[in-house]
């Protein structure tokens, strides 16, 4: 009997994400305990964060657009797709080198913008690190291109290993060299894992690209890729604008609220990482179906993936909202992070926790549109939702505090999810949320049971420690959630298995 690749991949990726996040937490604890919080660590973090933000914009847009264009390019034959892959490498090496040159030239101005209160000596050191780290962007972009090829060929595990590699290199080098190099070992580790990931993905993706000569910009697929990336870059840039507005608003609240918002964002991003990873897996299968003319299969897989992900993340959303205080206490509630900080962070997390199911809908349907190489419509939808987010944040921040800002984020994601659904429906009339509505009564029944058990459990176990209470409440909440939903979802999982199977295998 054939094993279903999608289900197997979901379990494999779940395990890898958990390992990656645990290693990431250990890395943060290790570096904090050895180097503490000093001006030099602040400067290194500022410069690495700046490089990381540019990396995120380039890598995320490149990964999304290249997977879609590459899969469609295979219709012209294997040679054409391999040539396209190498042309992407040439073009984005030039583009990234241009970005690096700009950072090198403008580093003093960037340092003053990032840290306007720094004195001349600290600003000069920040300038030094900005220039030192900027060439690493080349390694990041190369790894993104090779990883996109692996994704397009349904090899997802290596991509998730990139973050594992990052933590392993950082932990190993810090333990081995921190006495000899001091804080400079953080810079060495930054270069080491970036170079390793580029080489690692290059070797694994070697069957999917080949060396080619000629002007890569004359390749029509390159022009198609750049055309698709432009709206994606704009969309991701607007997300940063929205984050800046939120932090500006929260900065007017009691001191420490900005930090509480950041920590709540870290916790919510842990769940969103799972959603994004799962949506990326479905994206590859949906794009393959569309490129091979199986549009009905692509629509069916999108509907089934939506139902499955909403069903999985709905109880997680409920338990996050109900147990936010315990979650924050378990993760951050020690040392200088006192009771008031826990309370503020928990409020922010409750607002974020409302979004997980609609975030899944947004991600699945946006990727359905990307599969048709349509990045313009998702960008427009995202822009509308960000305007809603900013307006709601301004309206809710003063009366509700930090939870008003995070509720605004959740509402805006719901708006974007609806708009993406409508856009996908216009692309294919059979695709809509109607299949989800069919199962909604069962999901709502499970949600009510889960919420009721969680609330009652938290009250009954109020004398227990946060970890014990959270563990018991979660187990009980998931158990009662499955009572009305499992008999309905199990046949749907089997349908997903059938829809996700490759017909050629």
């Amino acid at each position: 009997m054939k094993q279903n690749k999608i289900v197997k991949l979901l379990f494999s990726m779940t395990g890898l994400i958990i390992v990656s996040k645990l290693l990431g937490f250990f890395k943060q604890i290790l570096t904090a305990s050895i180097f503490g919080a000093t001006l030099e660590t602040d400067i290194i973090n500022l410069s690495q964060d700046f490089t990381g933000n540019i990396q995120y914009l380039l890598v995320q847009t490149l990964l999304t657009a290249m997977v879609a264009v590459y899969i469609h390019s295979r219709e012209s034959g294997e040679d054409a797709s391999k040539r396209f892959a190498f042309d992407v490498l040439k073009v984005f090496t030039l583009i990234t080198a241009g970005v690096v040159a700009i950072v090198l030239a403008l580093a003093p101005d960037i340092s003053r913008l990032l840290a306007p209160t720094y004195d001349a000596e600290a600003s000069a050191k920040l300038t030094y690190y900005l220039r030192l780290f900027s060439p690493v962007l080349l390694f990041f972009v190369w790894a993104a291109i090779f990883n996109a090829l692996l994704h397009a060929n349904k090899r997802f595990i290596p991509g998730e290993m990139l973050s594992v590699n990052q933590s392993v290199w950082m932990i190993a080098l810090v333990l081995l060299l921190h006495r000899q190099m001091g804080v400079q070992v953080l810079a060495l580790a930054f270069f080491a894992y970036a170079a390793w990931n580029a080489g690692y993905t290059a070797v694994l993706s070697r069957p999917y690209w080949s060396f080619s000569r000629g002007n890569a910009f004359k390749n029509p697929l390159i022009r198609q890729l750049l055309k698709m990336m432009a709206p994606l870059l704009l969309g991701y840039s607007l997300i940063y604008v929205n984050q800046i507005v939120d932090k500006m608003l929260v900065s007017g609240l009691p001191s420490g609220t900005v930090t509480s918002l950041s920590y709540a964002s870290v916790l919510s991003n842990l769940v969103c990482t799972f959603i994004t990873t799962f949506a990326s897996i479905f994206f590859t299968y949906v794009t393959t179906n569309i490129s091979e003319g199986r549009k009905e299969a692509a629509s069916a897989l999108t509907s089934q993936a939506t139902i499955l992900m909403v069903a999985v993340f709905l109880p997680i959303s409920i338990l996050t909202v109900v147990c936010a205080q315990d979650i924050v206490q378990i993760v951050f509630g020690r040392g200088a992070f006192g009771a008031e900080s826990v309370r503020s962070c928990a409020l922010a997390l409750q607002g974020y926790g409302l979004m997980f199911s609609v975030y899944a809908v947004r991600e699945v349907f946006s990727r359905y549109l990307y599969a048709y190489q349509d990045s313009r419509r998702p960008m427009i939808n995202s822009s509308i939702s960000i305007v809603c987010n900013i307006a709601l944040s301004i309206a809710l921040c003063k009366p509700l505090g930090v939870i008003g800002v995070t509720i605004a984020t959740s509402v805006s994601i719901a708006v974007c999810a609806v708009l993406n659904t409508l856009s996908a429906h216009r692309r294919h009339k059979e695709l809509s949320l109607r299949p989800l509505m069919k199962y909604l009564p069962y999901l709502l029944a499970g949600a009510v049971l889960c919420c009721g058990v969680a609330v009652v459990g938290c009250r009954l176990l109020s004398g227990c420690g946060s970890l014990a209470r959270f563990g018991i409440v979660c187990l009980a909440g998931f158990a009662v959630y499955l009572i009305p939903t499992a008999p309905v979802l199990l046949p749907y999982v089997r349908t997903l298995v059938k829809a996700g199977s490759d017909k050629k295998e």
Side-chain angles (χ1 to χ4, degrees):
M1 182 181 294
K2 295 180 181 179
Q3 287 185 328
N4 177 257
K5 285 192 171 183
I6 291 182
V7 174
K8 185 178 179 181
L9 277 169
L10 291 179
F11 280 107
S12 299
M13 296 299 283
T14 298
L16 266 177
I17 292 171
I18 292 172
V19 170
S20 172
K21 294 300 180 182
L22 288 175
L23 282 171
F25 278 124
F26 180 70
K27 175 192 69 178
Q28 290 174 331
I29 292 169
L30 178 68
T31 54
S33 65
I34 291 177
F35 302 114
T38 65
L39 176 61
E40 187 147 17
T41 60
D42 283 349
I43 289 171
I44 289 175
N45 285 327
L46 270 174
S47 54
Q48 288 184 349
D49 286 346
F50 176 78
T51 305
N53 287 338
I54 299 176
Q55 171 210 355
Y56 182 81
L57 284 174
L58 288 173
V59 169
Q60 290 300 316
T61 55
L62 183 57
L63 185 63
T64 301
M66 186 177 172
V67 168
V69 177
Y70 173 85
I71 289 176
H72 285 280
S73 76
R74 290 190 300 208
E75 299 172 12
S76 301
E78 185 177 340
D79 289 342
S81 62
K82 287 184 175 181
R83 189 166 55 253
F84 164 68
F86 193 68
D87 283 345
V88 173
L89 188 65
K90 291 190 289 185
V91 166
F92 278 90
T93 297
L94 289 173
I95 291 174
T96 308
V99 174
V100 171
I102 292 171
V103 174
L104 290 172
L106 299 180
D109 300 310
I110 296 171
S111 66
R112 286 192 291 271
L113 182 65
L114 291 175
T117 60
Y118 278 4
D119 60 25
E121 183 180 354
S123 185
K125 188 168 284 191
L126 179 55
T127 298
Y128 165 76
Y129 278 113
L130 287 170
R131 286 173 169 161
L132 178 68
F133 292 139
S134 59
V136 180
L137 286 169
L138 287 165
F139 292 126
F140 286 140
V141 168
W142 292 337
I145 292 169
F146 297 134
N147 191 30
L149 292 175
L150 293 168
H151 270 237
N153 287 280
K154 300 172 185 174
R155 296 178 62 184
F156 302 97
I157 302 298
E160 195 56 42
M161 283 297 297
L162 298 183
S163 56
V164 174
N165 294 340
Q166 174 184 353
S167 295
V168 169
W169 272 101
M170 183 71 73
I171 292 168
L173 289 177
V174 167
L175 287 174
L176 289 172
L177 300 175
H178 74 276
R179 295 186 189 278
Q180 296 91 331
M181 297 185 64
V183 74
Q184 296 296 323
V185 72
L186 298 177
L188 175 63
F190 194 64
F191 272 92
Y193 84 76
W196 172 270
N197 281 343
Y200 164 75
T201 50
V203 171
L204 292 179
S205 64
R206 185 63 186 86
Y208 312 122
W209 56 272
S210 60
F211 294 97
S212 64
R213 297 181 178 179
N215 187 345
F217 287 95
K218 291 183 178 180
N219 187 336
L221 292 173
I222 293 294
R223 293 194 291 271
Q224 189 174 338
L225 175 69
L226 294 173
K227 181 180 178 181
M228 185 175 178
M229 283 185 65
L232 287 169
L233 279 170
L234 178 59
Y236 281 112
S237 299
L238 288 173
I239 291 173
Y240 282 116
V241 173
N242 183 49
Q243 291 174 350
I244 291 170
V245 171
D246 282 353
K247 288 181 179 178
M248 287 173 61
L249 290 170
V250 172
S251 66
L253 298 175
S255 60
T257 308
V258 173
T259 301
S260 296
L261 180 67
S262 297
Y263 284 165
S265 179
V266 168
L267 292 172
S268 66
N269 284 341
L270 176 61
V271 178
C272 292
T273 298
F274 284 93
I275 296 173
T276 303
T277 301
F278 296 163
S280 296
I281 292 173
F282 289 116
F283 170 53
T284 300
Y285 282 85
V286 168
T287 306
T288 300
N289 281 330
I290 290 172
S291 70
E292 295 175 357
R294 301 198 302 269
K295 296 183 180 181
E296 296 292 338
S299 296
L301 181 57
T302 301
S303 294
Q304 290 144 11
T306 303
I307 292 171
L308 184 62
M309 291 180 69
V310 168
V312 168
F313 289 100
L314 181 57
I316 295 174
S317 187
I318 292 167
L319 292 170
T320 299
V321 173
V322 176
C323 303
Q325 188 88 9
D326 285 335
I327 294 170
V328 175
Q329 181 64 43
I330 292 166
V331 180
F332 299 120
R334 57 186 61 83
F337 204 83
E340 182 58 30
S341 298
V342 169
R343 188 193 71 82
S344 177
C345 187
L347 285 172
L349 182 59
Q350 285 179 322
Y352 282 138
L354 296 170
M355 75 178 177
F356 297 144
S357 291
V358 290
Y359 185 86
V361 175
R362 187 192 76 173
E363 291 299 294
V364 170
F365 279 93
S366 67
R367 280 162 173 74
Y368 178 83
L369 293 167
Y370 295 150
Y372 278 99
Q373 302 179 68
D374 178 4
S375 58
R376 178 177 170 273
R377 180 50 58 181
M379 181 273 293
I380 294 173
N381 295 342
S382 177
S383 301
I384 294 171
S385 72
I386 287 171
V387 171
C388 293
N389 193 347
I390 293 173
L392 282 173
S393 293
I394 294 171
L396 298 178
C397 182
K398 188 173 182 179
L400 298 181
V402 69
I403 192 174
V405 173
T406 55
I407 286 175
T409 298
S410 294
V411 172
S412 71
I413 287 173
V415 169
C416 192
V418 172
L419 293 174
N420 282 348
T421 304
L422 294 174
S423 298
H425 176 68
R426 283 196 291 270
R427 174 69 65 175
H428 193 284
K429 296 299 181 184
E430 297 302 317
L431 184 60
S432 68
L433 289 179
R434 283 196 300 272
L436 178 61
M437 296 300 105
K438 177 182 176 182
Y439 295 96
L440 194 58
Y442 302 97
L443 297 177
L444 288 177
V448 170
L449 288 174
C450 179
C451 185
V453 166
V455 171
V456 172
C458 285
R459 290 179 179 174
L460 292 178
L461 300 172
S462 58
C464 298
S466 295
L467 183 59
R469 180 169 55 245
F470 177 64
I472 294 170
V473 167
C474 282
L475 288 173
F478 278 117
V480 297
Y481 177 79
L482 289 173
I483 293 172
T485 58
V488 177
L489 291 176
L490 285 176
Y492 223 89
V493 171
R494 287 194 288 269
T495 304
L496 176 63
V497 167
K498 183 178 178 182
S501 298
D502 289 335
K503 292 188 176 183
K504 293 182 179 180
E505 296 177 350

